[in-house]
Amino acid sequence: MSDSLWQLSASQASALMARRDLTSEAYVRACLQRIRAQDGTVKAWASVDEAGAIAQAQACDAMPRKGPLHGIPVGVKDVIRTKDLPTQFNSPIYEGFQAGEDAHCVAVLRAMGAVILGKTSTLEFACGGQFPATTNPWDAARTPGGSSSGSGAAVAAGMVPLALGTQTGGSTIRPAAFCGVYALKPTWGSVPFDGIKGFSPPLDTVGFYGRSTEDLVMLAQAYRLLEDEPIILTRPLRLGICQTPLWKQAEPEAALAFEALIQKLGQLGVEFQPVELGPMYADINVWQDVVMQNGGRFAFLPEALTTPQLLHDDFKAKLNNHLGLKGAVIRNALDQIDRCRMHFEAQLDTLDGVLTLSAPGIAPLGLHTQGMATFNRMWTALQVPCINVPALWSSAGLPIGLQLVHRRYEESKLLSCLLSLMPHLDAQRNPWSQT
Amino acid sequence: MSDSLWQLSASQASALMARRDLTSEAYVRACLQRIRAQDGTVKAWASVDEAGAIAQAQACDAMPRKGPLHGIPVGVKDVIRTKDLPTQFNSPIYEGFQAGEDAHCVAVLRAMGAVILGKTSTLEFACGGQFPATTNPWDAARTPGGSSSGSGAAVAAGMVPLALGTQTGGSTIRPAAFCGVYALKPTWGSVPFDGIKGFSPPLDTVGFYGRSTEDLVMLAQAYRLLEDEPIILTRPLRLGICQTPLWKQAEPEAALAFEALIQKLGQLGVEFQPVELGPMYADINVWQDVVMQNGGRFAFLPEALTTPQLLHDDFKAKLNNHLGLKGAVIRNALDQIDRCRMHFEAQLDTLDGVLTLSAPGIAPLGLHTQGMATFNRMWTALQVPCINVPALWSSAGLPIGLQLVHRRYEESKLLSCLLSLMPHLDAQRNPWSQT
């Protein structure tokens, strides 16, 4: 069994550890070995401290269990500060930088006994500039998506069962879709952004990656996001279907896979109701971009003042307000988004969740792109919780992301909905189990 | 002159330094001497590094000027991380803690040549728990307000010309009102909160203290908050008057001073228009509190998990959701605030600014209280820029804060309005010039 320990999900490993059938050290060593075997191709990691991770695991094995996360290894996107490993933001300015302190989201996991395995590769400052070298574990010729490229790829490749990312546009859900892993972008503001390099405050959100719904439940519980324990609902589900304003940008194969799933679920008794967006949402991705670019006017000021020669031109353009954003335009974007949020959430009263696509299609070819956030920007702007479920597949067997959305602070309902859907979804494929 | 150098505002000192009539070292030494003379009573500082500040000043004097802030000393609220001085949050958990990295707002000032003089006293985590020992420089029997107690008091006492604070309820504007200094709470999100211990993400805002309007302009320019250069308007001003829903909680002396100023300005040609809030705002302070307490459910989780014995019960109550907040209540509070914001800002089209009170009255007696944020919570929730002007005075000569408000991203207009009003305001009194 020790040869395939790295295949375990976090919740499977946690159950084994609770029964003392698995040590943290054995699990962590299996992950480290998998990294050694795979990361030459996948390039998911900015830094791994093998000795430090093993020491953390041994310490966990020697102390009483602190809960489900005890002894479980986690990867941390390298825009999130950690007290031991370097935090480099994929920026030459921060090469070898030691933050000396854990971000809030890391401190919580560490306090609950998680093992911080390493830092995962990211787009520079999770924003622009330099791309990471990370490849897609399903097909190394394809992008893993971004900006949380390393977190999505590391979980997909079997290198670590859980990882942290961030999302300002589509940076958590899109890599999850392209890499075929589970991810949760919780309600904006519910996991503090303290200790993470920000980009746009009304959008910046911590995101989680895992290998199963139970993994996401475990993380949501750790951060106290659940009003109630998620349960499998025995009554018929009632789901919204949301074809966002840019649905025509969905690739035919993705749209067909989505429709086929709706049809299948309908035959199984799920009730569907279209979520009406209407013309008020037509420009919501444009407003999201205004809010995002507005953040860029302020976020990189320290770096521009101290080390301009090492700051990519992308960030200088944002700092210099290359879009010429004025207060009136920013206020309008924020207000229109607020109106859409009220309109959207009002439709959730009678729904268990809303189904949509996580990305326009499979991961594009090439590492010069990270794909489009077309189907993520709206949800990030609305600040609502979203889950990627690897439940749709291309004819070539590549993952297409199914996205499940609810209104703010309804992570419990969102996870109950997913738990209830799971038996009917083809959502347990992994790159290593493919032919 | 060197005996009274500490009395200079930042902009006065900057002008002298630009002409080489003043060195940073002389100015910093004068401030340090003033701290030694006054801080036994005022207790505004959590830590001051005399040698480090002098070394920074000498380095500034030896290099070409980087701009208006070059060589100007600044106090930093001790919930904001600094790379050299300790960052202690007034919490026993962080006693002697060295963050090793500047928060964004500190990094910007340092990059522009400012001298980080020391860390100012704060309410524990700027949120609850332990009060600071800081007294009001106008009357040591009174509170300086909070939670940015030390920043307000240090600027008022002549110990430092500029300081940074934060505001989640009324934590920047209220101490400014009670201490009789200038302060600006800019538009939410425009100065990144990176590196500051947060409390409630939709409310947390960096704030600035100074000794004059020009000092606030200098800081707003440093953070690139100004769409246009603020100017003195030669046409008649058109101002809104906003008696917030809880205006009846204003002390009679404060309400009378406010009305007398309106009358005086009216005689000078200022046009006034009431800002109508109506019943939709009736509960806005309650909604602000819901949003604030909701932040407290998440903000202190790392400390609760790692060092519960050192965490004040205030924070444990918040973490345990002592108000029993549910998603529906939080969404409602956020939505109602959004509706009020749209309604309020729509009235600003034809106004140069809105006048209101910064606090219900003068600083209360005693250090067991920090006064009420009654007249601040609404503006914090609306995320709009606010200025405190020390332009109203009690019969005993104590400061009563005048508050000037605009809509988001209109710091330029707000400061133009204040520059235009200045000749007509009695707003240059200091504790040291009183009998």
Side-chain angles (χ1 to χ4, degrees):
Chain A
M1 173 173 165
S2 68
D3 279 356
S4 54
L5 282 180
W6 52 268
Q7 295 186 14
L8 295 170
S9 71
S11 39
Q12 288 168 337
S14 179
L16 290 171
M17 286 187 207
R19 294 202 306 264
R20 301 198 162 275
D21 287 338
L22 175 67
T23 64
S24 175
E25 184 179 350
Y27 190 42
V28 165
R29 283 188 186 275
C31 290
L32 291 171
Q33 197 175 330
R34 179 74 180 166
I35 291 173
R36 264 181 256 121
Q38 294 284 314
D39 208 44
T41 305
V42 179
K43 302 184 180 75
W45 298 87
S47 60
V48 176
D49 176 10
E50 292 210 2
I54 291 167
Q56 288 177 65
Q58 288 169 336
C60 284
D61 289 333
M63 73 175 79
R65 266 175 77 78
K66 293 179 179 175
L69 281 164
H70 194 96
I72 303 294
V74 181
V76 176
K77 183 179 183 178
D78 204 19
V79 294
I80 304 175
R81 286 176 179 76
T82 46
K83 71 176 175 191
D84 34 25
L85 294 146
T87 301
Q88 304 182 103
F89 309 98
N90 192 17
S91 157
I93 298 171
Y94 291 92
E95 205 179 308
F97 173 69
Q98 291 285 346
E101 197 181 351
D102 282 334
H104 185 290
C105 57
V106 174
V108 168
L109 297 186
R110 207 189 285 270
M112 301 188 104
V115 171
I116 308 304
L117 193 66
K119 304 298 282 285
T120 57
S121 302
T122 173
L123 182 66
E124 191 169 352
F125 295 125
C127 169
Q130 182 167 261
F131 280 50
T134 315
T135 63
N136 192 308
W138 295 82
D139 177 353
R142 294 177 187 273
T143 177
S147 64
S148 310
S149 319
S151 288
V155 173
M159 297 168 172
V160 69
L162 303 178
L164 297 179
T166 62
Q167 178 155 321
T168 304
S171 284
T172 291
I173 295 296
R174 183 178 31 153
F178 289 170
C179 295
V181 295
Y182 290 76
L184 168 62
K185 178 193 85 67
T187 303
W188 177 85
S190 60
V191 179
F193 220 67
D194 285 15
I196 308 177
K197 176 85 179 167
F199 173 12
S200 175
L203 302 172
D204 291 336
T205 313
V206 175
F208 316 140
Y209 293 91
R211 290 219 193 99
S212 67
T213 308
E214 290 75 15
D215 283 6
L216 299 183
V217 171
M218 192 187 285
L219 284 170
Q221 272 168 338
Y223 290 105
R224 305 204 181 177
L225 303 181
L226 303 181
E227 213 160 86
D228 303 293
E229 180 97 6
I231 49 166
I232 296 173
L233 302 166
T234 50
R235 59 170 173 74
L237 290 181
R238 189 168 178 78
L239 298 180
I241 300 176
C242 186
Q243 297 190 339
T244 53
L246 299 170
W247 195 255
K248 60 183 182 299
Q249 293 189 27
E251 292 166 16
E253 198 169 37
L256 285 173
F258 183 78
E259 282 153 33
L261 177 68
I262 302 296
Q263 200 151 25
K264 177 187 161 191
L265 292 176
Q267 287 162 359
L268 290 165
V270 174
E271 295 165 26
F272 286 103
Q273 176 183 310
V275 172
E276 298 297 348
L277 300 183
M280 73 185 288
Y281 293 72
D283 289 330
I284 192 163
N285 277 17
V286 177
W287 300 323
Q288 187 275 343
D289 196 55
V290 166
V291 173
M292 189 161 74
Q293 300 302 333
N294 182 50
R297 289 168 57 199
F298 307 104
F300 311 105
L301 190 49
E303 291 80 9
L305 292 170
T306 50
T307 45
Q309 73 285 3
L310 296 176
L311 190 64
H312 195 284
D313 285 345
D314 269 16
F315 308 108
K316 289 179 189 163
K318 289 183 207 299
L319 262 164
N320 291 329
N321 195 5
H322 64 303
L323 301 181
L325 297 174
K326 295 274 189 185
V329 171
I330 302 160
R331 283 192 300 276
N332 177 63
L334 289 163
D335 288 348
Q336 299 286 8
I337 289 167
D338 289 344
R339 285 191 192 100
C340 290
R341 185 186 303 109
M342 292 181 212
H343 178 267
F344 172 73
E345 289 191 337
Q347 298 181 63
L348 268 288
D349 276 339
T350 55
L351 295 176
D352 293 305
V354 172
L355 288 184
T356 186
L357 283 170
S358 295
I362 59 168
L365 279 166
L367 301 182
H368 61 286
T369 177
Q370 299 205 321
M372 303 295 286
T374 316
F375 291 170
N376 312 112
R377 288 167 176 265
M378 173 173 135
W379 308 115
T380 312
L382 296 186
Q383 307 183 331
V384 295
C386 309
I387 287 177
N388 178 70
V389 195
L392 305 173
W393 304 94
S394 79
S395 54
L398 289 172
I400 298 170
L402 175 70
Q403 193 167 198
L404 198 53
V405 182
H406 217 294
R407 57 186 174 191
R408 291 167 296 174
Y409 297 101
E410 298 287 22
E411 277 80 355
S412 297
K413 290 185 184 165
L414 189 61
L415 287 162
S416 289
C417 179
L418 179 55
L419 283 175
S420 312
L421 281 172
M422 280 308 293
H424 313 302
L425 300 178
D426 171 15
Q428 291 300 345
R429 301 194 201 178
N430 286 301
W432 59 79
S433 50
Q434 302 303 300
T435 48
Chain B
M1 173 172 165
S2 68
D3 279 357
S4 54
L5 281 180
W6 53 266
Q7 295 186 15
L8 295 171
S9 70
S11 39
Q12 289 168 335
S14 180
L16 290 172
M17 286 187 207
R19 295 201 306 263
R20 303 199 162 273
D21 287 339
L22 176 66
T23 63
S24 175
E25 183 179 350
Y27 189 42
V28 166
R29 283 189 186 275
C31 290
L32 291 170
Q33 199 175 328
R34 179 74 178 166
I35 291 172
R36 265 182 255 122
Q38 294 284 315
D39 208 45
T41 304
V42 180
K43 302 184 179 73
W45 298 88
S47 60
V48 175
D49 175 9
E50 292 210 2
I54 291 168
Q56 287 178 65
Q58 288 169 335
C60 285
D61 289 333
M63 73 175 77
R65 266 174 78 76
K66 292 180 179 173
L69 281 163
H70 193 93
I72 303 294
V74 182
V76 177
K77 183 178 183 177
D78 204 20
V79 293
I80 303 176
R81 286 175 179 78
T82 46
K83 71 175 174 192
D84 34 25
L85 294 147
T87 301
Q88 304 181 102
F89 309 97
N90 193 18
S91 157
I93 297 171
Y94 290 93
E95 206 179 308
F97 173 68
Q98 293 285 346
E101 196 181 352
D102 284 333
H104 185 290
C105 57
V106 174
V108 168
L109 297 185
R110 207 189 284 269
M112 301 187 106
V115 171
I116 308 305
L117 194 66
K119 304 298 283 283
T120 58
S121 302
T122 175
L123 181 67
E124 192 169 351
F125 295 124
C127 169
Q130 180 166 264
F131 280 51
T134 316
T135 64
N136 192 309
W138 294 82
D139 178 353
R142 294 177 188 273
T143 177
S147 65
S148 310
S149 318
S151 288
V155 172
M159 297 167 172
V160 70
L162 303 177
L164 297 179
T166 61
Q167 178 156 321
T168 304
S171 284
T172 291
I173 296 297
R174 183 177 32 152
F178 289 171
C179 294
V181 294
Y182 290 76
L184 168 62
K185 178 192 86 67
T187 303
W188 177 86
S190 60
V191 179
F193 220 67
D194 285 14
I196 307 176
K197 176 84 180 167
F199 174 10
S200 175
L203 302 172
D204 291 336
T205 314
V206 175
F208 315 140
Y209 292 92
R211 291 220 193 98
S212 67
T213 308
E214 290 75 16
D215 284 6
L216 299 184
V217 171
M218 193 188 285
L219 285 169
Q221 275 170 336
Y223 290 105
R224 305 204 181 177
L225 304 182
L226 303 181
E227 213 161 84
D228 303 294
E229 179 96 6
I231 51 167
I232 297 174
L233 303 165
T234 50
R235 61 169 173 74
L237 289 182
R238 189 169 179 79
L239 298 181
I241 300 177
C242 185
Q243 296 190 339
T244 53
L246 299 169
W247 195 256
K248 60 182 183 298
Q249 292 190 27
E251 292 166 16
E253 200 169 33
L256 285 172
F258 183 78
E259 282 152 31
L261 176 68
I262 302 296
Q263 200 152 24
K264 178 187 161 188
L265 292 176
Q267 287 162 358
L268 289 166
V270 174
E271 294 166 26
F272 286 103
Q273 176 182 310
V275 171
E276 298 297 349
L277 299 184
M280 73 186 287
Y281 292 74
D283 288 330
I284 191 161
N285 278 16
V286 176
W287 300 323
Q288 187 275 343
D289 196 54
V290 165
V291 174
M292 189 161 75
Q293 301 302 333
N294 181 50
R297 288 167 58 198
F298 308 104
F300 311 105
L301 189 50
E303 291 81 8
L305 291 170
T306 50
T307 45
Q309 73 285 2
L310 296 176
L311 189 65
H312 195 284
D313 285 344
D314 269 16
F315 308 108
K316 290 179 188 162
K318 289 182 207 299
L319 262 163
N320 292 330
N321 196 4
H322 64 303
L323 301 181
L325 297 174
K326 295 274 188 182
V329 172
I330 302 160
R331 284 193 300 274
N332 178 63
L334 289 164
D335 288 349
Q336 299 287 9
I337 289 168
D338 288 344
R339 285 190 192 100
C340 290
R341 186 186 302 110
M342 293 180 209
H343 178 266
F344 171 73
E345 290 192 335
Q347 298 181 65
L348 266 288
D349 276 339
T350 56
L351 296 176
D352 294 306
V354 172
L355 289 184
T356 187
L357 283 169
S358 295
I362 59 170
L365 280 165
L367 300 182
H368 60 285
T369 175
Q370 299 205 320
M372 303 295 286
T374 316
F375 291 171
N376 312 112
R377 287 167 177 265
M378 173 172 134
W379 308 116
T380 313
L382 296 186
Q383 306 183 331
V384 295
C386 309
I387 286 177
N388 179 68
V389 195
L392 304 173
W393 303 93
S394 79
S395 54
L398 289 172
I400 298 170
L402 176 69
Q403 192 167 197
L404 198 55
V405 181
H406 217 296
R407 56 187 174 191
R408 292 168 297 174
Y409 298 101
E410 297 288 22
E411 278 79 356
S412 296
K413 289 183 184 164
L414 189 61
L415 287 163
S416 289
C417 179
L418 179 55
L419 283 174
S420 312
L421 281 173
M422 280 307 293
H424 314 303
L425 300 178
D426 172 15
Q428 290 299 345
R429 299 193 202 180
N430 286 302
W432 59 79
S433 53
Q434 301 303 299
T435 49

